[in-house]
Amino acid sequence: MSTWLITVGLLAAAAAAYLLSLFKARATVKGEVSKLHSRLGYYGSYAAIWTILPALLITFIWTAAEPQVIRSLVEKDLPQSVQSQPDALKSLALGRIASVAEGLPKLSEDEFKVVEKARLGFAPMTDAQNILQEKGVVLGSTPEPYVISAGYDQVIYKQNSRWMITGIAALLAVLGFAYSYFSIRPRLKARNTVENVVLGTLIAASTVAILTTVGIVFSVLFETIHFFSEVPPAEFFFGTVWDPRFTSVGRELSGAEGQFGLIPLLWGTLFISFVALLVAVPIGLFAAIYMSEYAGPKLRGFAKPVLEILAGIPTIVYGLFALVTFGPFLRDTGDLIGLDIAASSVLTAGIVMGIMIIPFVSSLSDDIISSVPQALREGSYGLGATKSETIKKVVLPAALPGIVGAVMLAASRAIGETMIVVLAAGIAANLTLNPFEPVTTITVKIVSQLTGDLEFNSPQTLVAFALGLTLFAITLVLNIYALYIVRKYREQYD
Amino acid sequence: MATQDTISSPAAASSRQLNDPALLRRRYSAERRFQAYGLAAIMVALFFLVVLFTSIISQGWTAFLQSSIRLDVTLDKSEFTDADGNVSDKAIRLANYAKLGRDALQNALGIEKPGRPEKRKLKELLSRGIDTQIRDVIEADRSRIGQTVPIWLLASDNVDALLKGSIDRDVPEARRQLDNRQVAWVDKLVEEGRLEKKFNWGLFTFGASSQPETAGLGVAIIGSFFMMLIVALVAVPIGVAAAAYLEEFAPKNTLTDIIEVNINNLAAVPSIVFGLLGLAIFINFMGLPRSASLVGGLVLSLMTLPTVIIATRAAIRAVPPSIREAALGVGASRMQALFHHVLPLALPGILTGTIIGLVQALGETAPLLMIGLVAFVVDYPVTPMDPATALPVQIYMWASSAERGFVERTMGATLVLLLFLFVMNAAAVYLRRRFERKW
C-alpha cells in the first residue's frame, strides 16, 4: 500500500483506539470518572498515540529509505559486465531499468504474466520486449535481456517492500494499542504521557527553524565545495573577469575555460546598494524624525501605514516599475540634459531599490527615536535649545547606534534584493564607477545561472551556489551585528 | 581655577549672543528648515507611492478589456467530416478554423473574391486563438455543424492596440503594424457594432500563450492558490507550535538563545537563498519534480515560518499572565492553560500574523525562479505535483516578452496581484480591529 493509504488507515485505527480506551477507562471506575487520575479524554488520546505514533514513524523512515535500498539490491544483481562500466554508462543502464519498472504496472494481467515467464526463463525474452515496446517503453536500440529482468525485479522488490511495511505498521499499531489498552487503570497518569508527547512535538517544531538554517548552510556549502574542486577559490574570490562560457560546446570551440571572477558582481551589488542607501537613509531618517518628534497623531496615523505600504509591495512590482516607467524616464531626462544614461543602469535600480527600503529605515528609526527617554529632551529644552537643536544635539546622538543598526538591516535587504536588479540593472558584468552604466549583481547571476536548462554538475551551474554562499555570509554578518546593536540599544533605555 | 574660567567667560559671551535678535532669527529659521526637511521627506515618499500606483494603473487597466469581433460563422459541414463523409473527432480537431473565421470576416465586410494578399490581411485581424473558440462552440452542441452561428471572436493584438489607441494612426503606413485598408476595415466593423471592447475574462482563465490576446493568469492563479494552501498547512502549525514552546515552556538557556537569534536572522536572509535551498534539498536530494507548486509551497513555507513565529509570539505575549495564573490556580496543567486559555485568546493575533506571512509569500518571486516555476504551462494544474507557475512569476515572464500586448498584460497582472494583496491585508486589518482586546 502507498504511504498515503497507510497513513489514512493508521488514522482510522487511532480513532477506533481512542473510543475503545475511552469506554474501558469509564468501565474501570464504573462511570465515576472523578476517580480517574486524568480526565477521560486523555485515556483515549493515550491509546491513540500508542497506536499511531510508532507505526507512523517507522512508515515514514522506511518510505524515505526505500528507493536507496531497492536501487542497491537491483544494482547488486546486474551482470558483471555492467557493474564494471564507468558511472555514466551505469547510470544510463539504471535509467533504462527504471523506465521498464515504470512501464510494467501499466500492463494488463495477461501481459504481465508473459513478462514474468520470460524473467523466470519459461518464455523467450523477446516476447517481453515486444509487449513493453507496444506500451511505449523506451528500451534503446538493442535491448539487453538483463534490463527487463532487472526492471521486473525492481517492481517485485517494490511490491514486497510495500507489503512488508504495511505488515510492520499494522503489527506496531496492534502492539501499541494492546499495550496501552491493557495498561489502563484508574491510577495511570495518562495526561502526563500525552502532554509529554505534545511538548515533544512543540520542541520539534521549534527546531525546524534551526534545521532550515543548517539546511541552507550545508546544501549551499556542499555544492560550493563541489564548485571549488573545479575552479580554485582564489580565482573565484579575486578574479576580476566574469565570463562563464555558457555551453560546453563553446568551451571546446574556443579552448578556453569559463572565468568566474566575483569582484565585478560584488562591486555591482555594493554600488547599487550604496545608491539605494543614499536615497533611503535621508528620506527614511527625516521621515522618522518628523513622525516621532513633530507630527500630530492625525498625520502620524496616516503617514505611518502609508509608508508601510511601500514595504508591502512585492519586489517584482518595483522591478516592473523600474523597467517600464522609471528606466525610460531617466534615459529621456538624460537625453534632455545631455547625459548618456542607459535605461537599465546603476541609477535606475539603485533609486527604485532606495524607495523600497525607505520604510525599513523609517519604521525602525522611528521606534528607536521614540524610545529615547523624554527626560533627555526636557533637559535640553530647559537649557533653552529649540526642538531641532535638541534633536540634532541630544536625541540623534543618543539614538545613533540604533539608527546605524537600522541602516545596516536596510543594507542587508538591498544586497539580497533580487527582482529589481534582475529587471532593471543589466546583465553585463561591468567594473565601472559610472552610475549611468549598467552593472550586474550577485543575485542577478544566481538567477541567470540557474534558470537555463544546464546539466547540474557543470561549474556554470555550481557557481550559483558559491555566489549564494557569499551572499548568505555577507547578509548574515550584517544582520547579526545589526540585530545585536538594535537589541542592546533597546535594552539600554527599557 | 581653569574650569571656572571656562564656565564664566563663555557663559557671559553666550548670554550676550542669546539675546541677539539676529541669532534668534537664525535659530528659528533653522528650526523651520529642519521641520520642512522632515515634512518634505514624508511627501517625497508619498509622491513615490502615488507615482508607482498611477504608472501601474494607467498602463494596466486596459488589460481588463479585450477587443472581440461578432461574426456569423458558417460551420460548413465539409470542414468537419473525414474522407467517408462522417463527422469525426479527428476531423473536428483538424478543421481549418482560420479559414472559417476569415470567410466570416470577409462576408461581414462585404468583400467578394479577395486575392491572396487580402486574405492574409483579413487573417491578421483575427487572433490565432479563434481555433479554440470555434471548436468550443461546436463541442458544446454538435448539431450546430452546417449552420451559421454568431460568435464573438477574439481580435488580434494589433487590432486591440489600435482600438486602445496604442497604435498611432498618424504614423506613416509603412511603419504602422496595420495598413490603411486594415484600419478602414476595423473602423467599419466598429461602426457596424461588430467590433467591441468587452471585459477580458480570458485574462483570468487562459494559460500560457505566445499571443498576448490568448495569454492569461489561469495557471498562475491556481499555482499560487496551491502554494498558499501549502504554506497555510505547513508554516502555520509549525510556526504556532514553535512560538508556543518558545514563549511558554522554553527554559532560558544557550539553546533557546540560539533558536531566538536564528529565527530573527532567518527572517532577514535574502529570499533567493531559500530558492537555492529548495533546489539543493527538495529537488536534487529528495527528487521532487521541478516546476511543481508543491516544491514552491515548501520553499515559501520555510521562508514565512519566521514571520509566523514572530507574530504568534507577540500575540501570546500580549495575553496577560493573570489568565495563565488563574488557570493554573484552579488546577489546570501548563499544557491545559496553553491550549484552553492562552491560544484561543491569542488567536486573532495569530491569524493576523498568518495573513501577513501569506501576503509575503504570495508576492515572492526570486526563490520560485530557482525551482523551475518559470515554465510555459498551458494546462491547469490539477494536483500540487503538476507543473504550474505563480502570479509574480507570470508577471516576470510577461515582463521579459517583447510584444507590445504583453506590456499591458504585465501591468494588468500586477494589478490583479496587488488586488489580491490588498484584499488579504484588509482582512488582516479587519481581524485586528474586530477582535483586538485591550487588557
Side-chain angles (χ1 to χ4, degrees):
Chain A
M1 274 198 272
S2 72
T3 310
W4 177 241
L5 264 178
I6 295 179
T7 312
V8 172
L10 285 175
L11 280 174
Y18 180 88
L19 288 175
L20 284 175
S21 317
L22 211 69
F23 294 137
K24 178 170 180 193
R26 197 203 295 274
T28 51
V29 290
K30 302 192 179 60
E32 286 180 71
V33 286
S34 60
K35 286 195 179 155
L36 289 169
H37 167 272
S38 313
R39 298 185 65 202
L40 202 53
Y42 285 105
Y43 291 91
S45 311
Y46 175 77
I49 286 171
W50 268 107
T51 310
I52 196 170
L53 207 57
L56 207 57
L57 278 181
I58 286 289
T59 311
F60 283 157
I61 292 172
W62 180 247
T63 307
E66 192 179 44
Q68 268 83 14
V69 174
I70 291 184
R71 195 188 148 110
S72 71
L73 278 176
V74 169
E75 227 169 299
K76 205 180 72 210
D77 288 345
L78 290 180
Q80 204 56 46
S81 58
V82 183
Q83 297 217 8
S84 54
Q85 278 173 349
D87 278 349
L89 286 174
K90 210 161 115 185
S91 75
L92 213 64
L94 283 173
R96 281 210 295 278
I97 292 171
S99 80
V100 170
E102 265 170 43
L104 280 174
K106 287 186 210 144
L107 301 182
S108 71
E109 215 162 298
D110 288 342
E111 289 167 333
F112 192 76
K113 283 250 170 63
V114 175
V115 179
E116 188 178 2
K117 270 187 195 157
R119 165 69 183 114
L120 300 176
F122 295 124
M125 201 44 105
T126 43
D127 288 1
Q129 278 168 16
N130 291 338
I131 286 177
L132 281 170
Q133 250 148 2
E134 254 171 49
K135 290 280 162 183
V137 176
V138 185
L139 288 171
S141 48
T142 50
E144 300 97 332
Y146 76 85
V147 171
I148 294 181
S149 309
Y152 175 80
D153 286 356
Q154 187 169 335
V155 171
I156 297 298
Y157 281 136
K158 172 99 181 171
Q159 269 176 14
N160 291 345
S161 137
R162 283 288 111 188
W163 281 118
M164 187 186 80
I165 191 60
T166 311
I168 292 178
L171 186 71
L172 276 177
V174 170
L175 284 180
F177 172 67
Y179 168 75
S180 55
Y181 187 75
F182 290 112
S183 63
I184 289 177
R185 261 168 270 113
R187 308 283 301 274
L188 176 74
K189 295 182 174 173
R191 198 199 71 218
N192 302 36
T193 314
V194 172
E195 288 190 346
N196 281 335
V197 171
V198 174
L199 188 63
T201 318
L202 296 189
I203 294 177
S206 65
T207 54
V208 170
I210 293 203
L211 286 181
T212 308
T213 309
V214 172
I216 289 177
V217 171
F218 273 88
S219 61
V220 178
L221 199 63
F222 185 75
E223 305 292 356
T224 306
I225 292 171
H226 209 124
F227 170 70
F228 283 147
S229 70
E230 298 193 32
V231 176
E235 254 177 49
F236 174 71
F237 286 114
F238 303 111
T240 53
V241 179
W242 174 270
D243 180 17
R245 304 271 157 157
F246 238 99
T247 56
S248 46
V249 181
R251 201 184 331 169
E252 277 158 23
L253 285 180
S254 60
E257 292 282 325
Q259 280 179 288
F260 303 92
L262 172 69
I263 302 288
L265 308 188
L266 191 63
W267 168 247
T269 307
L270 295 179
F271 198 3
I272 291 181
S273 306
F274 177 71
V275 173
L277 289 179
L278 274 188
V279 173
V281 170
I283 297 180
L285 198 55
F286 270 111
I289 290 171
Y290 191 83
M291 280 195 293
S292 61
E293 299 288 322
Y294 289 104
K298 225 173 169 182
L299 179 64
R300 199 182 149 84
F302 166 73
K304 211 172 151 77
V306 171
L307 276 185
E308 309 268 292
I309 291 180
L310 279 176
I313 294 174
T315 54
I316 176 84
V317 179
Y318 283 106
L320 202 59
F321 174 69
L323 176 75
V324 178
T325 310
F326 194 67
F329 168 76
L330 268 189
R331 187 192 53 208
D332 297 345
T333 320
D335 280 349
L336 274 184
I337 53 175
L339 280 175
D340 191 16
I341 305 179
S344 33
S345 64
V346 176
L347 212 56
T348 315
I351 293 178
V352 173
M353 195 188 280
I355 301 173
M356 184 194 82
I357 56 177
I358 287 173
F360 289 93
V361 179
S362 75
S363 76
L364 259 180
S365 308
D366 190 0
D367 288 354
I368 286 154
I369 292 172
S370 305
S371 73
V372 171
Q374 197 57 27
L376 287 185
R377 293 190 187 85
E378 273 151 16
S380 169
Y381 297 149
L383 290 172
T386 63
K387 213 161 179 176
S388 63
E389 284 162 355
T390 307
I391 293 166
K392 279 185 279 194
K393 303 262 164 63
V394 178
V395 178
L396 283 187
L400 194 63
I403 291 172
V404 171
V407 171
M408 284 171 69
L409 276 184
S412 135
R413 191 56 66 153
I415 289 173
E417 170 46 40
T418 310
M419 292 325 291
I420 294 179
V421 285
V422 164
L423 287 173
I427 45 166
N430 266 340
L431 255 178
T432 173
L433 272 171
N434 183 353
F436 305 138
E437 278 180 33
V439 295
T440 197
T441 70
I442 296 180
T443 48
V444 171
K445 284 303 161 195
I446 296 180
V447 169
S448 65
Q449 295 304 103
L450 281 181
T451 38
D453 271 330
L454 279 170
E455 52 177 323
F456 195 75
N457 278 334
S458 65
Q460 278 79 10
T461 317
L462 291 174
V463 70
F465 287 90
L467 292 174
L469 188 69
T470 316
L471 186 67
F472 182 70
I474 297 173
T475 52
L476 185 76
V477 170
L478 275 177
N479 291 339
I480 289 193
Y481 190 60
L483 287 172
Y484 166 77
I485 295 181
V486 171
R487 215 169 159 194
K488 191 176 154 199
Y489 180 75
R490 276 202 187 128
E491 278 163 10
Q492 202 180 329
Y493 290 118
D494 268 348
Chain B
M1 271 189 278
T3 41
Q4 263 175 352
D5 286 351
T6 49
I7 286 171
S8 58
S9 58
S14 69
S15 75
R16 260 202 321 280
Q17 278 176 14
L18 280 173
N19 295 333
D20 181 1
L23 177 72
L24 262 183
R25 245 196 329 274
R26 264 211 310 278
R27 285 177 65 206
Y28 283 146
S29 59
E31 169 73 32
R32 276 193 298 276
R33 268 203 311 279
F34 191 75
Q35 206 170 335
Y37 293 152
L39 203 58
I42 294 184
M43 289 306 152
V44 168
L46 291 188
F47 171 73
F48 280 138
L49 192 67
V50 172
V51 169
L52 188 70
F53 275 103
T54 357
S55 104
I56 289 167
I57 294 174
S58 66
Q59 293 180 66
W61 72 272
T62 49
F64 294 99
L65 295 175
Q66 170 68 45
S67 312
S68 293
I69 311 177
R70 184 173 50 80
L71 291 176
D72 303 315
V73 183
T74 309
L75 302 172
D76 192 354
K77 193 164 181 191
S78 62
E79 282 289 337
F80 305 101
T81 49
D82 48 18
D84 34 310
N86 297 321
V87 173
S88 71
D89 287 350
K90 193 178 168 203
I92 290 182
R93 203 166 59 241
L94 295 178
N96 189 353
Y97 292 103
K99 180 172 170 291
L100 291 179
R102 198 188 59 215
D103 288 348
L105 184 62
Q106 184 186 316
N107 289 339
L109 289 167
I111 302 170
E112 275 167 39
K113 299 241 169 79
R116 230 165 209 291
E118 273 183 313
K119 279 185 177 172
R120 208 193 62 233
K121 288 201 165 120
L122 280 170
K123 202 176 148 201
E124 280 174 5
L125 296 188
L126 287 170
S127 160
R128 271 189 249 170
I130 63 169
D131 296 22
T132 347
Q133 281 187 306
I134 302 179
R135 196 183 305 140
D136 285 348
V137 168
I138 292 172
E139 292 296 353
D141 181 6
R142 288 217 177 164
S143 67
R144 283 178 187 151
I145 291 177
Q147 297 174 359
T148 298
V149 273
I151 309 176
W152 283 99
L153 292 176
L154 287 174
S156 72
D157 57 337
N158 282 334
V159 173
D160 197 44
L162 182 72
L163 284 193
K164 287 169 181 170
S166 44
I167 288 184
D168 192 352
R169 283 164 191 259
D170 300 334
V171 168
E173 187 177 10
R175 295 207 340 254
R176 210 186 311 130
Q177 283 87 346
L178 296 171
D179 65 16
N180 289 341
R181 283 197 58 192
Q182 286 173 317
V183 172
W185 285 337
V186 168
D187 290 341
K188 186 166 180 223
L189 287 171
V190 173
E191 232 166 77
E192 288 172 4
R194 284 183 181 274
L195 182 50
E196 270 180 29
K197 282 185 281 183
K198 305 176 73 166
F199 187 76
N200 189 2
W201 290 107
L203 182 66
F204 301 93
T205 55
F206 288 132
S209 169
S210 53
Q211 268 88 46
E213 69 273 9
T214 50
L217 294 169
V219 173
I221 290 176
I222 296 178
S224 275
F225 172 75
F226 277 140
M227 285 179 225
M228 291 305 102
L229 202 66
I230 291 166
V231 171
L233 289 178
V234 175
V236 175
I238 295 181
V240 172
Y245 174 72
L246 291 174
E247 271 311 302
E248 297 283 314
F249 297 100
K252 198 92 188 103
N253 60 22
T254 330
L255 183 68
T256 42
D257 273 353
I258 292 177
I259 297 184
E260 284 247 32
V261 172
N262 185 37
I263 288 170
N264 284 331
N265 179 57
L266 215 50
V269 167
S271 58
I272 194 167
V273 174
F274 284 94
L276 290 175
L277 168 85
L279 178 62
I281 295 201
F282 295 129
I283 292 181
N284 282 340
F285 181 69
M286 286 167 62
L288 293 172
R290 271 176 84 92
S291 304
S293 36
L294 175 71
V295 181
L298 288 175
V299 168
L300 292 178
S301 298
L302 293 182
M303 221 188 71
T304 35
L305 192 59
T307 313
V308 177
I309 294 180
I310 292 169
T312 307
R313 291 189 69 174
I316 291 179
R317 217 176 298 146
V319 176
S322 56
I323 302 269
R324 273 178 213 101
E325 279 149 21
L328 297 181
V330 295
S333 68
R334 285 168 75 191
M335 203 60 86
Q336 286 168 329
L338 172 70
F339 281 99
H340 297 173
H341 303 284
V342 177
L343 278 188
L345 287 172
L347 198 62
I350 296 174
L351 275 180
T352 314
T354 304
I355 295 176
I356 291 171
L358 285 178
V359 165
Q360 200 188 336
L362 182 58
E364 196 54 71
T365 322
L368 302 182
L369 301 182
M370 312 275 88
I371 51 176
L373 283 155
V374 216
F376 191 86
V377 186
V378 180
D379 299 319
Y380 286 164
V382 180
T383 69
M385 298 294 268
D386 297 334
T389 58
L391 266 177
V393 180
Q394 189 68 61
I395 294 174
Y396 169 69
M397 286 193 283
W398 282 350
S400 343
S401 304
E403 281 98 338
R404 180 216 328 274
F406 275 115
V407 174
E408 175 194 278
R409 296 248 154 182
T410 313
M411 292 302 191
T414 309
L415 279 180
V416 173
L417 176 67
L418 288 175
L419 193 72
F420 276 116
L421 295 179
F422 176 77
V423 169
M424 286 163 79
N425 271 316
V429 170
Y430 171 78
L431 276 175
R432 193 158 46 201
R433 293 263 162 85
R434 174 79 176 69
F435 293 105
E436 193 175 46
R437 283 174 92 145
K438 284 267 180 277
W439 300 95

